Each structure stands twice: as C-alpha cells, then as structure tokens.
Amino acid sequence: MTVPQASPAGDPAVPPSTPPTTPPPPPKDAERPHDDPLRASRTSGLWVGAVALGVLLLLLVVFIAQNTEQTTVQFFGFEGRAPLAVSLLIATAAGILLTAIAGSLRIWQLRRRTRKEVGREPRRARGRH
C-alpha cells in the first residue's frame, strides 16, 4: 500500500507528478524486418550460394586430380574403363537423381492429397450448417 505524498504546494490529496520510468514502446512499423538494413536478401543468399558452390567445385577438382587411375566398371552386362573419380561422380549423381525422384513423387502425392482435402472442406461445411 502506498501513501500519497504531499505535493510541493502541501496538498496531500494531489498525487505528485512523476516522470515515466520506461520509454514508450516503438511503433509497430519499426519492428518489421524490412526496416532492418542488415536483413537477409536474395542478393546475399545468391552470394552465399555462389561461394559455397565455388568451394564445392574446388574440392571436386582436387578429388578428380587425385583419383585418375583407370578402373573397370561393370553395370548390367555393360563393361568399360574410366577414371576412378569419374566413375564415383557418376554413381553419386545417379544416387542424387534417384533421391530427387523419390522426394518429388512424395511431394506430388502430398500436394494431391492436400488439394483433395481442401476441396472437400467447403462441401463438409455446407452440409453441417
């Protein structure tokens, strides 16, 4: 419980005026991320991607330069000779392609299912009311 203090005029009924202890909150517009000059942008994302791809390319060149010996590759009755690095890179690319195909099929399946469910919602809502 607080006891009102006397004002400078000596009237105990008038509460003293105190300055606010906290500054007022900033306007809501100032909190939006587009006002931040250091925010991430498409250009900065492109720059990071280009640097990452450059580093990957450098590592790939070193890998190919260190694995130049010829090896025999057999696949479903086909046989050939190729540098070890090329064989491994082709196998890696094939694995990435298979993973991308499986992931794309799953995304396509989920999108179809979502479209069906969204299409059913208005009909269900109409039937309930």
Side-chain angles (χ1 to χ4, degrees):
M1 181 167 143
T2 60
V3 177
Q5 298 176 356
S7 67
D11 186 6
V14 178
S17 61
T18 58
T21 57
T22 58
K28 293 289 183 187
D29 292 341
E31 295 176 7
R32 291 191 296 196
H34 69 273
D35 291 338
D36 181 12
L38 299 177
R39 74 181 191 287
S41 66
R42 289 181 185 171
T43 305
S44 65
L46 181 65
W47 183 82
V48 169
V51 170
L53 285 175
V55 170
L56 182 65
L57 181 62
L58 180 65
L59 293 173
L60 192 60
V61 167
V62 170
F63 175 77
I64 291 171
Q66 290 179 347
N67 293 286
T68 57
E69 59 268 358
Q70 293 283 322
T71 185
T72 303
V73 180
Q74 298 175 350
F75 186 71
F76 288 124
F78 297 104
E79 185 174 322
R81 292 192 52 80
L84 178 61
V86 173
S87 302
L88 291 173
L89 289 174
I90 290 172
T92 302
I96 291 171
L97 181 64
L98 289 175
T99 303
I101 290 171
S104 297
L105 289 174
R106 179 64 178 154
I107 290 169
W108 179 68
Q109 178 187 35
L110 291 172
R111 285 184 179 170
R112 279 187 57 201
R113 185 179 300 163
T114 302
R115 270 191 232 121
K116 283 182 183 179
E117 291 298 320
V118 169
R120 291 182 192 165
E121 281 299 317
R123 285 186 229 135
R124 287 184 194 163
R126 277 184 265 157
R128 289 183 199 158
H129 296 295

